[in-house]
Every structure is written in structure tokens, then in C-alpha cells.
């Protein structure tokens, strides 16, 4: 079992998460400080995509609020299951530390991987 900590810069590109899947990652984490405009457009869809394509749980801790006069972080920490369903999402307002929890069912994850294996066509696409 591999549980991997990545960073937000790697969220935009699937290669790192696919490489982690090959190492049997079951939980991939993405700490983040997305800006509000980018977070509104991309945050959830990228997290759900990474969960689906890796058949792993994605845990994304997101900073919230103002860093300074020019930068405000989006927030919306999330936990996403291997089907891309958002299990838990925190809000995007306030400045108090909050904690999100969700049940992680590793037996269910294994069942998904056995019943619907995602096999990459390395004859067409290079292995990452």
C-alpha cells in the first residue's frame, strides 16, 4: 500500500498521479492554495479527475482566506472517492481551521480495481 503526498502543482497534470497508481497508491493527497478564480473553475473537477483516473481516494487540504492584499486562497478542502464522488467538502469562507473526515473503504477500492481494471495501452501511449 502506498499513500502519497504530492503538491498542488502536480494536480494539473495526470502523469504524476498515474505514476503513483502504478505504485499502487490508494490515497493521494494534494495540499493547496488555489486562488479564488482558479479554484472556482478547476479545483473540484481536477480532484475528481485524479480520483477517477487512478482509482484512488484523493484527500485535498486547501488553504483559505487572505494571505496578503493581493492573494486570497479558495479553500474548499475535499475528500473524493475512487468513483469521483465528493465525500466531504469544506467551505470557502472564514479563517478558522476546520477538519474534514470521511470513511475510507480500502476493501471497496480493491473491489473497484479488480472489477474494472484500468490498463494503459503502452503500445500507443508511453508509460509514465
Amino acid at each position: 500500500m502506498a499513500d502519497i503526498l504530492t503538491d498542488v502543482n502536480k494536480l494539473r497534470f495526470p502523469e504524476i498521479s498515474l505514476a503513483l497508481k502504478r505504485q499502487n497508491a490508494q490515497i493521494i493527497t494534494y495540499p493547496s492554495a488555489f486562488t479564488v478564480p482558479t479554484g472556482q473553475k478547476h479545483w473540484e473537477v481536477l480532484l475528481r479527475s485524479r480520483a477517477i483516473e487512478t482509482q484512488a481516494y484523493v484527500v485535498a487540504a486547501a488553504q483559505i482566506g487572505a494571505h496578503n492584499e493581493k492573494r486570497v486562497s479558495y479553500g474548499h478542502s475535499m475528500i473524493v472517492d475512487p468513483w469521483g464522488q465528493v465525500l466531504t467538502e469544506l467551505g470557502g469562507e472564514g479563517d478558522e481551521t476546520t477538519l474534514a473526515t470521511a470513511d475510507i473503504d480500502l476493501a471497496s477500492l480493491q473491489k473497484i480495481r479488480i472489477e474494472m481494471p484500468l490498463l494503459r495501452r503502452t503500445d500507443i501511449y508511453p508509460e509514465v
Side-chain angles (χ1 to χ4, degrees), residues 6-7 10 12 39 62 67 87 96 116-117 120:
T6 63
D7 65 61
K10 302 198 177 46
R12 291 199 170 279
H67 296 262
L87 301 177
E96 283 194 33
M116 192 178 121
R120 187 171 180 90

Side-chain angles (χ1 to χ4, degrees), residues 28-105:
I28 301 173
T29 61
Y30 292 97
S32 160
F34 262 49
T35 63
V36 172
T38 307
Q40 289 172 337
K41 301 288 185 194
H42 299 158
W43 179 241
E44 181 177 338
V45 72
L46 286 170
L47 292 172
R48 293 178 70 205
S49 296
R50 298 299 87 90
I52 292 167
E53 70 198 5
T54 60
Q55 293 178 319
Y57 285 91
V58 168
V59 177
Q63 290 183 8
I64 187 171
H67 296 262
N68 56 46
E69 291 179 10
K70 295 181 180 180
R71 182 173 172 85
V72 178
S73 287
Y74 179 61
H76 293 271
S77 295
M78 272 184 216
I79 301 172
V80 183
D81 78 5
W83 286 114
Q85 177 182 347
V86 176
L87 301 177
T88 303
E89 178 180 3
L90 298 178
E93 297 188 16
D95 57 4
E96 283 194 33
T97 302
T98 24
L99 180 67
T101 63
D103 291 329
I104 303 291
D105 185 349

